Amino acid sequence: MNVLEMTNIKKSFGDNNVLKGISFHVDSGEVVSIIGTSGGGKSTLLRCATLLETVDDGIISYMGENVTYKDGNGKLCYAKDLNRFKKVFGLVFQSFNLFPHFSVLKNVMDAPVTVLNRNKAEVKEECLELLEKMGLSDKVDAYPCELSGGQQQRVSIVRALAMKPDILFFDEPTSALDPELTGEVLKVIKQLAEEKMTMVIVTHEMAFARAVSDRVVFIDKGMIAEQGTPEEVFGNTRNERTKQFLQNYGK
């Protein structure tokens, strides 16, 4: 089943056409990595998928239900109850976005309790288990400023998982980290992939994308230039632009 489907997505900022008719889907249990040049549209696509940006045209659907649709006059509309769709996905930012005045435990418990109105004791038990799984059980009472960047990013992953999303989005999850801390975050994402968590990962870590993905999508100048299995995209590249991009990364 398609957890996410995006069809002919277009998005401009003024005269800058950032997305020029992108279509792709993500199946349940699939890991899709989105790679491409800076300014090519990767993060904008993610922001449109997670409803942080509105699209100019195109259909977005989650779990077979349309988030956007065309009315009788052909005008693009968004579904009224967007909060219902927002519960389907989690989003991990490159800049962590943790609440500085909340402890680690409160950071990860806050949304399930306040947004989903779930039982606090039950949520606490689940969050403590997730923090332990991520190697953070000794940081439960710490504040974000007391954590390394890698630890903060792992907390933000736990925070997203605590909402029990059907799909998890990562926007350059390691771009703010040094190589050692990058490794510890990628290990966590790889573990989630092995557990068949449905994920979309915008990344510049080519070796990681090749190792962990079911499918790789290469975006160039607002369009999908190439997509396929890691073997097809990295090992049997057909598109000249993709070849050039990968050569620049030394892959």
Side-chain angles (χ1 to χ4, degrees):
M1 176 188 178
N2 287 354
V3 178
L4 168 68
E5 186 149 15
M6 300 181 80
T7 308
N8 198 29
I9 300 298
K10 296 177 182 174
K11 176 66 180 177
S12 296
F13 296 100
D15 295 331
N16 184 13
N17 296 328
V18 181
L19 302 178
K20 303 171 183 174
I22 283 184
S23 299
F24 87 117
H25 67 277
V26 184
D27 294 332
S28 181
E30 189 176 33
V31 179
V32 178
S33 286
I34 300 177
I35 62 171
T37 53
S38 294
K42 307 184 300 295
S43 289
T44 299
L45 181 65
L46 213 67
R47 289 179 67 82
C48 289
T50 55
L51 312 181
L52 293 171
E53 298 281 0
T54 55
V55 299
D56 300 328
D57 199 8
I59 304 300
I60 302 170
S61 68
Y62 277 104
M63 315 298 280
E65 285 192 68
N66 282 358
V67 181
T68 62
Y69 63 94
K70 298 284 182 76
D71 68 11
N73 299 315
K75 182 188 170 193
L76 187 78
C77 303
Y78 271 78
K80 285 188 172 67
D81 185 14
L82 287 183
N83 284 334
R84 184 164 57 88
F85 291 104
K86 287 176 182 176
K87 290 173 184 175
V88 173
F89 59 79
L91 176 59
V92 178
F93 300 90
Q94 51 185 291
S95 54
F96 322 136
N97 285 22
L98 299 173
F99 294 115
H101 55 295
F102 284 0
S103 68
V104 164
L105 184 59
K106 188 160 171 52
N107 259 290
V108 299
M109 282 183 60
D110 189 59
V113 172
T114 58
V115 178
L116 301 182
N117 296 314
R118 291 189 54 210
N119 177 277
K120 197 170 181 179
E122 197 177 283
V123 169
K124 183 177 181 179
E125 189 179 334
E126 286 177 10
C127 288
L128 287 171
E129 279 179 20
L130 281 170
L131 287 165
E132 185 179 359
K133 179 179 168 183
M134 298 291 177
L136 293 163
S137 50
D138 59 334
K139 302 295 181 185
V140 168
D141 298 319
Y143 286 82
C145 65
E146 300 172 301
L147 305 177
S148 70
Q151 289 167 337
Q152 287 187 61
Q153 192 59 294
R154 281 184 282 152
V155 172
S156 65
I157 293 171
V158 171
R159 182 179 59 181
L161 289 171
M163 294 293 282
K164 298 188 174 180
D166 294 287
I167 182 170
L168 204 48
F169 293 93
F170 293 86
D171 186 10
E172 298 278 16
T174 60
S175 66
L177 304 175
D178 65 37
E180 187 179 352
L181 299 179
T182 291
E184 78 182 48
V185 171
L186 295 182
K187 185 179 172 187
V188 165
I189 298 173
K190 193 169 185 180
Q191 185 182 345
L192 293 173
E194 287 165 1
E195 294 168 6
K196 293 296 177 189
M197 179 78 205
T198 309
M199 293 185 282
V200 176
I201 307 164
V202 170
T203 184
H204 59 275
E205 300 283 346
M206 296 302 124
F208 174 73
R210 186 171 191 164
V212 82
S213 309
D214 296 299
R215 197 150 40 89
V216 177
V217 177
F218 173 60
I219 293 181
D220 184 49
K221 296 177 182 172
M223 294 182 285
I224 293 178
E226 188 159 3
Q227 67 173 312
T229 64
E231 290 72 24
E232 288 167 341
V233 173
F234 291 104
N236 190 26
T237 316
R238 297 179 179 211
N239 182 285
E240 272 308 314
R241 185 67 192 90
T242 317
K243 281 181 187 171
Q244 187 185 353
F245 171 77
L246 294 174
Q247 276 169 0
N248 290 340
Y249 268 91
K251 300 293 179 215

